[in-house]
Amino acid sequence: MLITRRTLLTASAGGLVLAGLGGRAALADLAKLKQKDSYKIGFAQTESNNPWRLAQTASMKDEAAKRGWQLVYTDAAGSAAKQVADVRSMIAQKVDVILLAPREEKPLIPAVMEAKKAGIPLFLIDRNVDATLATAGKDYVAFIGSDFVKEGHQAAEALTKAVNGQAKIIELQGSTGSSPANDRMKGFADYIKDHPGMQIIASQSGDFARDKGRQVFETLYQAHPDATALYSHNDEMTMGAIAAMEAAGKVPGKDLIIASIDGTKDATQALIDGKVYVVVECNPKFGPKAFDAVERYGRGETIDTWLVNDDRVFTKENAAGYMPEAY
Ligand code: AHR
């Protein structure tokens, strides 16, 4: 069975099922949005240290420019505390709507609740917050983004097939406390528990960053030279790990089979070159979908509490076809 974030939530406490993802926004509880020709939108970005984040920001800026809407943009530079302050500043500037990409699941809860109290509709984009502390459709309008549990599951499925069910795996986790790191870990672990030959022998955070990924992989691989596979929660850490493998005289794609997530240009080239076996897509181009959701909310439409991105799976077979879209 494919266990996704949606099924995990549905299997949790009853209250969560009623108010959780996959339902519909209960308009009575939520901050309202007046219909206008042009909105002042706050976009609170997490950090700008990788191509995924840059592609996401570009998509938001392009969409605002296309529609002639004002964008108040902030970059939290990897600090959850700064991101809370950024949202507070947007509230003070009386933006019409806040689009928040929360760095971590718990520390951004105050930002969500303060926007609600100020009567400003807030959408979570790309990352989620802790669903036991804030509820889509009640505390914020909706979550727009990928199913990270499913991404982890798909990475595990492809990797298991590639190695015939036998691998000693090093896992590079994303930023600690972030929903993609938590859920990608869950989805992968859930799949391999039925495949006893697939063992995670080391797992540590590389903070979704290339150089941190390189350093962490180097340390873990020195401690576990018997590793035969890498599962990395994003392409930037994968590229860092590939550099570490090559520096150690190893051949990525032969000595270690690699599963990754995102769909950057570098990782797509690595698929074509046979260094990476699979990349599960996580699409950063949120602009059109997020701005459409705001527009529909302003028209008084009911918004699904989870607008799920449909992500693809890339291998050597389809990588060249995807490359023109890669970022
Ligand atoms: O939240 C999505 C993740 O965050 C992407 O996989 C990663 O590259 C980014 O920083």
Side-chain angles (χ1 to χ4, degrees):
M1 179 195 177
L2 174 58
I3 305 285
T4 67
R5 185 177 181 104
R6 192 189 299 251
T7 46
L8 284 171
L9 284 169
T10 308
S12 316
L16 194 56
V17 177
L18 282 177
L21 300 173
R24 302 220 130 194
L27 290 176
D29 287 342
L30 285 168
K32 305 261 187 306
L33 180 64
K34 259 201 218 130
Q35 186 167 10
K36 292 188 191 174
D37 290 338
S38 164
Y39 291 103
K40 182 175 175 183
I41 305 283
F43 170 44
Q45 178 59 285
T46 301
E47 57 211 350
S48 298
N49 63 346
N50 74 46
W52 195 99
R53 291 282 142 203
L54 297 178
Q56 186 187 39
T57 299
S59 171
M60 303 296 278
K61 287 187 173 170
D62 288 353
E63 194 62 25
K66 203 172 108 192
R67 290 169 184 253
W69 293 8
Q70 189 185 344
L71 191 72
V72 176
Y73 167 74
T74 56
D75 174 0
S79 158
K82 175 170 185 316
Q83 201 171 26
V84 173
D86 290 343
V87 171
R88 284 189 182 132
S89 147
M90 287 173 184
I91 294 170
Q93 291 176 64
K94 298 194 187 321
V95 296
D96 294 311
V97 172
I98 295 172
L99 302 176
L100 168 64
R103 180 170 161 80
E104 289 148 50
E105 290 206 45
K106 287 189 203 303
L108 268 300
I109 295 290
V112 172
M113 294 310 186
E114 285 174 37
K116 182 186 180 187
K117 198 166 160 216
I120 299 176
L122 180 143
F123 292 72
L124 294 180
I125 63 167
D126 111 59
R127 290 188 187 174
N128 217 321
V129 293
D130 187 328
T132 65
L133 300 174
T135 304
K138 183 169 163 278
D139 299 317
Y140 59 94
V141 182
F143 167 57
I144 306 172
S146 296
D147 186 333
F148 299 130
V149 175
K150 183 173 167 188
E151 290 174 350
H153 190 284
Q154 289 173 315
E157 190 175 25
L159 186 62
T160 303
K161 206 167 138 205
V163 299
N164 291 320
Q166 297 294 325
K168 291 187 174 168
I169 306 158
I170 290 179
E171 178 180 29
L172 287 177
Q173 301 168 22
S175 302
T176 305
S178 69
S179 64
N182 292 341
D183 291 354
R184 287 171 185 170
M185 195 153 57
K186 244 181 246 162
F188 192 89
D190 181 69
Y191 184 87
I192 64 164
K193 76 176 179 329
D194 297 328
H195 299 269
M198 299 291 285
Q199 290 169 31
I200 295 177
I201 54 170
S203 180
Q204 198 175 309
S205 174
D207 206 14
F208 281 134
R210 187 181 288 223
D211 201 49
K212 188 79 194 292
R214 182 190 61 73
Q215 289 167 34
V216 172
F217 180 83
E218 190 177 78
T219 306
L220 295 180
Y221 193 41
Q222 272 165 12
H224 301 276
D226 54 335
T228 59
L230 166 69
Y231 167 43
S232 165
H233 289 191
N234 85 342
D235 287 346
E236 277 296 276
M237 296 189 296
T238 300
M239 297 315 296
I242 286 176
M245 285 174 206
E246 289 175 338
K250 299 294 171 185
V251 182
K254 288 205 169 66
D255 295 318
L256 289 113
I257 310 300
I258 303 174
S260 185
I261 296 176
D262 271 355
T264 64
K265 261 200 174 74
D266 286 352
T268 307
Q269 188 58 51
L271 278 174
I272 293 167
D273 297 341
K275 295 182 180 184
V276 171
Y277 178 73
V278 66
V279 172
V280 178
E281 183 183 28
C282 181
N283 191 334
K285 296 170 187 169
F286 281 81
K289 197 167 181 173
F291 282 58
D292 272 355
V294 170
E295 197 174 23
R296 288 195 292 113
Y297 192 62
R299 282 202 300 263
E301 286 182 29
T302 306
I303 307 291
D304 284 344
T305 49
W306 186 6
L307 301 173
V308 192
N309 289 352
D310 279 330
D311 293 322
R312 297 165 283 181
V313 176
F314 303 122
T315 59
K316 200 179 176 82
E317 277 63 53
N318 59 357
Y322 164 69
M323 186 56 115
E325 284 174 61
Y327 44 92

